Amino acid sequence: MNKIYNLTLTSIIIVYLVILAGGIVRMTGSGMGCPDWPKCFGYLIPPIERSQLDWKANHQYNKDEIIILGESLFYAIDNFNSEKEINLSNWNKYTKHDYSKFNVYHTWIEYINRLIGAVAGLSVLVLFIYSLKFFRSKKSITLLSILSLVAILFQAWLGKTVVDSNLTASTITIHMLMAVVLLFILFSILALSKPIKPSVLPKNVSILIIISIVLLVIQILTGTEVRKFIDIQMELFNYTERNKWIENITNTFSFHRSFTWAIVLINSLIFLKLKNLDIQSKLIYTIITLIFLQILTGVIMYYFHFPFSSQPIHLLISTLIIGLQFYFLSLYNLKKNATKI
Ligand code: HEM
């Protein structure tokens, strides 16, 4: 195992942790736990009590620190010391959205999610710096590492857009798709830097895998549509009465559920073809097992009313399936011209 392979694998694992943390943020309704970005209520370490967000007399306020006044958020225009009475000329109303509640759990869940995101950014930065070493010997690794850095920065910016837009559905979908793109880039680097070359894969199997990836993208997009509907229900029922979330579900859900058959079918075909070709790969067994688990979590959500953790797990497994499938494809197809690094 070489260093670039280990660094890429580390980044991939951290990106999956970010996806899981994002799912937990959503399951607990913590998305607006930090109203601003990148700081949280204007602090590097967010408050632990609601009283910390009350206006205080004779207090040193730093630029961008937030207070809650009535039903609104206000942020400090500059650094200043407050006097006996509040002087509103020191404060601007926070207008990016009108969400002004404080819940310590939501704030800290969102904050930890952001910290894991920052660690992911750092690990991709380290990967990029290390990849510069291969600029002459294996340019594709350096170029893909630059791309992964751009993708994760764009993803961070999108994260800010998600918060600024008070979690509008379309930004969440783009955020999800970008996570998949980032995984594709990282898995390409992983395949290129894998020390042991696998055997050759026939073209028709590669085509089947590409079709499966396209089907998975469609499935992820329809899943995100189902999620948008569930999001509205979760809000409507204030995160309780889970049995009602799936009531009156749209046709998109029926499509999402039935479309699973297409994924099962094509992956069974890939599995059988590989078996006939006597290509031994733990990856394909892992992918099949994950598809099975994905169906199981889907069924559990539907019939057992979204038990705790089922939503983030369903989200995580979908990105694992598509990521590993892309890796499988890259492993056989990107290695052809690979040189030892
Ligand atoms: C390979 C098959 C499947 C894939 C790749 C897949 C993928 C996804 C994705 C990506 C989401 C959006 C998650 C999010 O944004 O948080 C989703 C949502 C959902 N899926 Fe699936 N899904 C599959 C199969 C199924 C099946 C078989 C069912 C039910 C029988 C199901 C039920 C649901 C439900 C209820 C949601 C909404 C979840 C939520 O609100 O968090 N899925 N799916």
Side-chain angles (χ1 to χ4, degrees):
M1 288 249 260
N2 55 30
K3 201 165 175 184
I4 194 93
Y5 181 87
N6 285 338
L7 282 175
T8 313
L9 190 61
T10 309
S11 295
I12 291 174
I13 293 170
I14 302 173
V15 168
Y16 276 117
L17 283 181
V18 177
I19 293 172
L20 183 65
I24 293 172
V25 164
R26 171 170 170 258
M27 173 186 74
T28 53
S30 305
M32 298 310 290
C34 296
D36 47 342
W37 195 97
K39 289 187 183 170
C40 189
F41 286 96
Y43 297 94
L44 279 177
I45 299 172
I48 47 172
E49 280 175 9
R50 167 68 180 80
S51 60
Q52 286 173 268
L53 295 167
D54 286 335
W55 178 83
K56 287 177 242 16
N58 307 318
H59 184 82
Q60 161 73 43
Y61 280 103
N62 295 320
K63 189 172 184 285
D64 292 334
E65 280 179 8
I66 289 180
I67 54 167
I68 302 179
L69 271 184
E71 290 289 293
S72 304
L73 299 176
F74 287 81
Y75 64 93
I77 298 168
D78 223 325
N79 298 346
F80 70 95
N81 277 316
S82 61
E83 294 165 5
K84 276 190 182 156
E85 295 291 322
I86 186 164
N87 179 356
L88 281 179
S89 66
N90 288 322
W91 300 94
N92 261 350
K93 196 166 174 181
Y94 196 81
T95 50
K96 284 186 176 155
H97 55 76
D98 56 6
Y99 186 91
S100 64
K101 296 186 190 94
F102 175 75
N103 174 314
V104 66
Y105 299 109
H106 291 174
T107 296
W108 277 81
I109 288 171
E110 170 62 10
Y111 179 67
I112 291 167
N113 173 38
R114 288 183 188 187
L115 281 185
I116 302 174
V119 174
L122 277 179
S123 84
V124 170
L125 181 67
V126 172
L127 174 67
F128 158 69
I129 294 169
Y130 190 74
S131 76
L132 294 175
K133 213 175 125 178
F134 302 104
F135 190 67
R136 279 170 195 277
S137 61
K138 194 90 191 78
K139 219 178 228 135
S140 51
I141 293 219
T142 315
L143 293 178
L144 283 166
S145 301
I146 296 173
L147 213 59
S148 66
L149 189 64
V150 172
I152 206 158
L153 288 174
F154 180 64
Q155 186 71 336
W157 175 80
L158 268 179
K160 172 183 158 57
T161 317
V162 171
V163 172
D164 284 351
S165 67
N166 200 352
L167 312 178
T168 56
S170 57
T171 46
I172 296 174
T173 308
I174 301 170
H175 204 225
M176 170 82 193
L177 280 180
M178 263 320 287
V180 173
V181 170
L182 176 63
L183 284 171
F184 281 3
I185 300 169
L186 289 173
F187 272 118
S188 307
I189 306 173
L190 197 71
L192 280 167
S193 58
K194 188 158 167 55
I196 302 159
K197 282 186 185 187
S199 52
V200 181
L201 194 69
K203 208 172 171 185
N204 60 350
V205 181
S206 291
I207 291 171
L208 283 179
I209 298 175
I210 292 171
I211 296 172
S212 170
I213 291 172
V214 173
L215 295 184
L216 280 166
V217 170
I218 297 171
Q219 182 72 332
I220 287 175
L221 285 176
T222 58
T224 312
E225 286 300 313
V226 177
R227 171 228 162 113
K228 285 181 199 171
F229 176 87
I230 300 293
D231 269 344
I232 297 168
Q233 307 303 305
M234 283 161 76
E235 282 277 316
L236 205 68
F237 293 105
N238 207 12
Y239 294 84
T240 56
E241 299 185 73
R242 288 164 181 262
N243 56 322
K244 294 193 177 149
W245 294 359
I246 208 100
E247 267 178 15
N248 313 316
I249 189 99
T250 53
N251 286 337
T252 320
F253 172 70
S254 310
F255 179 86
H256 183 70
R257 194 175 42 184
S258 310
F259 199 69
T260 306
W261 286 112
I263 291 164
V264 169
L265 210 70
I266 193 125
N267 280 283
S268 308
L269 211 60
I270 295 168
F271 182 78
L272 290 175
K273 286 224 177 250
L274 289 175
K275 218 166 173 163
N276 284 343
L277 290 163
D278 211 20
I279 295 178
Q280 302 289 336
S281 168
K282 277 187 199 148
L283 263 176
I284 195 71
Y285 284 101
T286 312
I287 291 168
I288 298 282
T289 311
L290 285 171
I291 292 174
F292 172 73
L293 286 176
Q294 181 70 344
I295 296 170
L296 193 69
T297 51
V299 169
I300 287 175
M301 279 193 291
Y302 184 63
Y303 291 102
F304 297 95
H305 317 307
F306 301 87
F308 183 76
S309 299
S310 55
Q311 290 169 292
I313 291 175
H314 194 72
L315 168 68
L316 179 70
I317 297 179
S318 67
T319 49
L320 275 172
I321 298 171
I322 198 163
L324 289 180
Q325 199 140 59
F326 187 83
Y327 177 57
F328 190 79
L329 184 72
S330 310
L331 208 53
Y332 285 92
N333 289 284
L334 291 182
K335 284 302 284 188
K336 276 180 196 155
N337 307 316
T339 51
K340 198 161 171 52
I341 49 174

